Amino acid sequence: MVEATQLEFERSLFMPNMTVRAMRDSRYKHPANALAELIDNSIDAGARRIEVLVSEEQQVITTRRSWRVGEIAVVDDGSGMDARTLEQALRFGGRGGQGQLNRIGRYGMGLPTASVSQARRVDVWTWQSRGEVLHSYIDLGKVEKGEQTEVPRAKHSELPEEWRDFITQNLTTTQSGTLVVWRNIDRIKVQADTMFRQLESEVGRIYRHFINDGELTIRMARRRGTFEPEDDAFVRPNDPLYLMSDSSTPAPWGESPMFKPVGDVIRYPVRIDEREETVEVKYSIVTQEALGLQAQPPGALPHGQHARGNMGVSVVRENREIVLEDAFVRTGGRGDTPLNRWWGCEIRFNQGCDDLFGVDHNKQMVSILSNAAREVLNSDESTDEILVALDVDEDLETKAIYQIVGDIKNETRNLLNEVKLLFDERGRERQRQNAPKSPASNIQTPSEIAAINLMSLATDDAILQGVERQTRTDKEREKTKPEIRESENKTYLVDELGEPEDEAMQEAKDIVESGIRFVFKHVQLDAYLMFNVRPRGGVLYINLNIIHPFYQFLKDMTDDEVGLESEDPQIRRAAVGVRTLLLAWARMENNIELPEETQQLQDFAGRWGRHAQYVLDRVNHT
């Protein structure tokens, strides 16, 4: 008998321990994508109310105690599960649904796969009659020890008190529902509040249509230990097309759309396995009002930064976003064009088109669409020429996907040109409305002009008695003709910073005419850089990295951009002081003649930025 059992084990298709380890390596781009699998199950169960709850605990990180994600729960008012369904739901592939129409789930692997990808234990409580709660679980510690080789039988249980107090009371008393809790989380490494806010944004975008249509409410809350929730709010739609009236877009565009539709929805009939399916595509573009007439570029404003995070073509399946495909905002592997943030595009289809688009098992990729997009976007040939080269005369599905991709390529390029025209009009309108003023004030605030005067005084050779020699950029400014400097500055502003050509031309002219030696810009750089320095056309550009905590630290001085417009003189002096230090670094870097020494200094700046990020993260989150 022992030999027969051993033989059966050796012939088993899956070894439980190794299989679960492989499932843990199911890569989710973000914890939100893993949690989305649980929310999908809730929607498939008919839920109208869902809560995502984050419980934090203090952990020792190096030598300091810090708040980190301890447990995460998702609770809903869906139909709940009986004992057999609960046990099947915790099996990998155990809960089928392939034959059900309008179902978000694909293979029945979402609950266990998503859960073990983030945590070492998942517990599920479910009920179909008020007070009749069933419970089961997966515990990886027991699996690894060989103590759990199957899903435990569902047993009657009570909802855990610590979660019952955290969940909205009217959700714990529903006729039916389900509570899923991730415990022993070991794959989420970010600070809890950072993850919470990212989660809110991602969930709002993935389920925006359900929320906007009134079919679903999602509450998110965060607490520390057993204390009252620190954050408690209902998720608002995060719409990358910016056509929804009540959204999470920064004011004033959260209450009214900042984009407008472009044409009608385009419908593509496709035939798949003798079935007729429909793919829908719609477009949007920014309104002139959203670009505004302020001196600051709209891309640097809160709603512009929000739009930057939503660049791409949104792919929506069964009313739920799968991915924000960024291939359409990139060309030949080059960095994205900032103006692409000002248009939107959405592709919508149902589960019948899964194979057409290449939807993967955890609903994070549309591989066939992505591959076709990269091939079409990186080719100078027309879509028809590409199809001829691929020899797909009889493959109607391939023709359909390439036709859709080709049309999107053409339309989004047209939209980008329209955006440039809107910026041109914005520039002309600003020139008409702005009162005459000195050239320097067109691009610098009064405090920045004061800083310019301060630095001109501090670097005057006569005052410093020759201690400070001219930098390479100072020498270049003196020997280069103004028209050449204008051209070089304009080229840098357009090609490297992505500014509209009309505005860049005027800014370059103002810089040269006013004799400005340096300009601060706000851009996105590599994650660990606080800033970088770029000499162009006799000017030092000091580019502040908008995704580094140092930039946020400057913004937190006051409600305005970086403290320079504050009414508090101490805040203004602090902001100018920080910029003075950055400018001192820039001049030091610009003084170096040998390229290898410049590279060493830039490497040091990267390490400096990494240490600054480490310190600021702890200042902000402890």
Side-chain angles (χ1 to χ4, degrees):
M1 185 68 179
V2 174
E3 292 180 358
T5 304
Q6 181 67 23
L7 179 61
E8 182 180 344
F9 174 76
E10 290 176 352
R11 294 181 61 193
S12 173
L13 188 58
F14 300 107
M15 296 179 64
N17 187 20
M18 298 305 296
T19 299
V20 170
R21 287 189 182 183
M23 292 300 177
R24 293 215 79 192
D25 289 334
S26 293
R27 299 299 181 186
Y28 286 88
K29 298 176 183 177
H30 188 276
N33 297 103
L35 277 170
E37 298 276 20
L38 308 188
I39 298 174
D40 289 348
N41 290 342
S42 297
I43 295 173
D44 283 340
R48 303 275 298 182
R49 290 179 294 168
I50 297 174
E51 295 188 357
V52 179
L53 311 172
V54 179
S55 180
E56 301 177 32
E57 61 184 30
Q58 280 201 317
Q59 300 176 6
V60 176
I61 310 298
T62 61
T63 59
R64 298 177 62 89
R65 297 184 66 83
S66 179
W67 288 101
R68 292 297 174 105
V69 176
E71 298 181 353
I72 297 178
V74 175
V75 61
D76 65 56
D77 64 350
S79 58
M81 293 176 277
D82 58 24
R84 177 170 174 77
T85 305
L86 170 57
E87 293 164 10
Q88 290 296 307
L90 284 168
R91 295 180 64 210
F92 294 96
R95 187 181 182 188
Q98 293 89 330
Q100 300 179 26
L101 296 176
N102 305 116
R103 178 184 172 88
I104 300 178
R106 293 204 74 198
Y107 300 116
M109 298 180 69
L111 171 57
T113 303
S115 299
V116 303
S117 76
Q118 307 294 317
R120 293 187 56 79
R121 175 161 176 143
V122 53
D123 287 85
V124 182
W125 290 266
T126 187
W127 61 99
Q128 292 187 315
S129 178
R130 188 178 292 111
E132 297 292 324
V133 181
L134 295 171
H135 169 254
S136 191
Y137 65 91
I138 297 174
D139 188 321
L140 295 187
K142 293 185 176 181
V143 172
E144 291 170 354
K145 294 176 183 177
E147 297 173 3
Q148 182 177 350
T149 59
E150 59 184 25
V151 177
R153 292 288 184 185
K155 296 182 179 180
H156 288 281
S157 175
E158 295 288 332
L159 288 177
E161 182 178 355
E162 68 270 20
W163 289 107
R164 193 168 60 244
D165 295 340
F166 197 0
I167 300 167
T168 302
Q169 183 176 4
N170 60 6
L171 198 55
T172 62
T173 58
T174 55
Q175 182 66 29
S176 59
T178 298
L179 167 66
V180 180
V181 178
W182 290 350
R183 299 167 58 189
N184 299 333
I185 293 173
D186 61 347
R187 295 291 180 90
I188 298 176
K189 301 298 185 181
V190 298
Q191 292 280 352
D193 54 351
T194 300
M195 192 228 53
F196 181 84
R197 286 173 175 78
Q198 290 175 345
L199 192 64
E200 188 175 25
S201 174
E202 293 290 320
V203 169
R205 196 180 71 235
I206 292 171
Y207 298 101
R208 64 182 182 273
H209 288 295
F210 289 97
I211 300 170
N212 188 62
D213 295 343
E215 299 176 7
L216 186 68
T217 60
I218 301 178
R219 170 184 175 248
M220 289 195 63
R222 177 174 67 99
R223 71 174 181 187
R224 291 185 168 178
T226 58
F227 302 118
E228 291 295 318
E230 295 198 349
D231 291 285
D232 187 346
F234 287 95
V235 176
R236 300 174 74 186
N238 174 13
D239 180 20
L241 271 70
Y242 295 98
L243 296 175
M244 296 179 179
S245 296
D246 184 13
S247 72
S248 62
T249 312
W253 305 106
E255 305 302 327
S256 60
M258 72 174 187
F259 283 19
K260 60 184 179 182
V262 176
D264 297 325
V265 175
I266 302 172
R267 292 177 174 83
Y268 295 86
V270 294
R271 191 168 184 82
I272 304 172
D273 296 334
E274 304 305 320
R275 298 188 321 274
E276 292 291 339
E277 299 284 349
T278 300
V279 177
E280 297 183 350
V281 180
K282 66 178 179 181
Y283 302 93
S284 63
I285 192 170
V286 68
T287 62
Q288 193 77 64
E289 293 76 16
L291 296 181
L293 295 175
Q294 69 287 332
Q296 195 175 7
L301 297 177
H303 66 276
Q305 292 299 312
H306 192 277
R308 191 188 192 288
N310 281 332
M311 287 170 60
V313 172
S314 177
V315 181
V316 175
R317 170 192 179 270
E318 294 291 354
N319 226 28
R320 179 254 211 227
E321 183 182 271
I322 297 178
V323 67
L324 196 62
E325 176 55 67
D326 66 355
F328 293 92
V329 297
R330 298 180 183 275
T331 303
R334 295 174 60 191
D336 52 34
T337 301
L339 291 185
N340 276 317
R341 77 186 72 188
W342 301 114
W343 59 260
C345 175
E346 179 182 277
I347 306 172
R348 296 188 70 166
F349 57 90
N350 293 327
Q351 63 169 316
C353 294
D354 283 357
D355 292 339
L356 173 69
F357 283 89
V359 178
D360 70 336
H361 74 279
N362 55 16
K363 301 183 292 293
Q364 292 189 112
M365 294 174 57
V366 279
S367 57
I368 295 176
L369 173 73
S370 299
N371 292 337
R374 285 164 176 78
E375 189 165 358
V376 170
L377 293 167
N378 292 325
S379 174
D380 294 329
E381 296 181 329
S382 68
T383 304
D384 289 339
E385 290 172 329
I386 292 174
L387 288 172
V388 169
L390 292 174
D391 192 20
V392 292
D393 287 343
E394 303 302 322
D395 190 342
L396 297 179
E397 293 182 18
T398 301
K399 279 189 173 182
I401 202 72
Y402 274 83
Q403 184 63 55
I404 293 170
V405 167
D407 289 352
I408 293 175
K409 171 186 176 181
N410 294 334
E411 185 58 32
T412 55
R413 295 301 179 266
N414 291 337
L415 290 175
L416 185 58
N417 290 331
E418 289 294 327
V419 169
K420 292 176 180 177
L421 293 177
L422 290 172
F423 270 89
D424 290 343
E425 177 58 31
R426 176 181 181 272
R428 289 190 292 270
E429 186 61 27
R430 285 195 65 230
Q431 289 179 358
R432 286 194 292 266
Q433 292 193 11
N434 290 346
K437 49 191 174 181
S438 64
S441 64
N442 284 332
I443 60 171
Q444 302 286 353
T445 66
S447 296
E448 286 177 302
I449 294 172
I452 292 171
N453 293 334
L454 172 65
M455 290 310 302
S456 296
L457 177 67
T459 57
D460 189 290
D461 288 339
I463 292 178
L464 293 176
Q465 298 177 358
V467 173
E468 174 80 347
R469 62 188 176 90
Q470 284 188 313
T471 66
R472 289 183 284 115
T473 299
D474 291 332
K475 296 173 183 177
E476 180 185 354
R477 184 173 53 252
E478 291 179 358
K479 69 181 182 181
T480 307
K481 293 181 179 180
E483 57 269 25
I484 296 177
R485 291 186 55 218
E486 281 187 26
S487 176
E488 291 175 350
N489 277 274
K490 178 203 161 189
T491 298
Y492 177 71
L493 293 168
V494 173
D495 292 350
E496 300 188 47
L497 298 187
E499 296 190 5
E501 187 167 351
D502 199 46
E503 291 189 7
M505 184 182 300
Q506 183 61 46
E507 184 174 352
K509 187 173 185 297
D510 292 343
I511 287 172
V512 173
E513 289 183 353
S514 59
I516 288 175
R517 299 183 180 188
F518 68 94
V519 175
F520 284 94
K521 288 291 182 182
H522 315 126
V523 301
Q524 181 168 332
L525 305 172
D526 291 341
Y528 290 114
L529 283 175
M530 289 187 289
F531 65 96
N532 70 12
V533 180
R534 294 293 181 265
R536 295 291 189 277
V539 176
L540 282 178
Y541 286 90
I542 300 130
N543 301 311
L544 302 176
N545 187 4
I546 61 175
I547 63 172
H548 194 283
F550 174 68
Y551 186 81
Q552 187 62 45
F553 180 78
L554 292 179
K555 289 182 67 176
D556 287 345
M557 288 181 180
T558 183
D559 290 335
D560 66 70
E561 188 180 336
V562 281
L564 294 168
E565 299 301 321
S566 173
E567 295 181 1
D568 187 333
Q570 290 185 335
I571 291 178
R572 288 200 307 273
R573 288 174 65 86
V576 171
V578 170
R579 288 194 166 199
T580 300
L581 291 174
L582 293 176
L583 181 57
W585 174 286
R587 288 184 63 83
M588 174 185 67
E589 184 175 315
N590 196 233
N591 260 325
I592 296 174
E593 299 287 348
L594 297 177
E596 57 270 23
E597 292 183 1
T598 301
Q599 184 61 52
Q600 289 175 357
L601 192 63
Q602 291 172 349
D603 291 342
F604 179 79
R607 294 197 298 274
W608 184 21
R610 187 185 295 268
H611 286 292
Q613 185 178 61
Y614 176 87
V615 173
L616 288 170
D617 277 342
R618 279 144 187 80
V619 169
N620 292 332
H621 301 124
T622 58

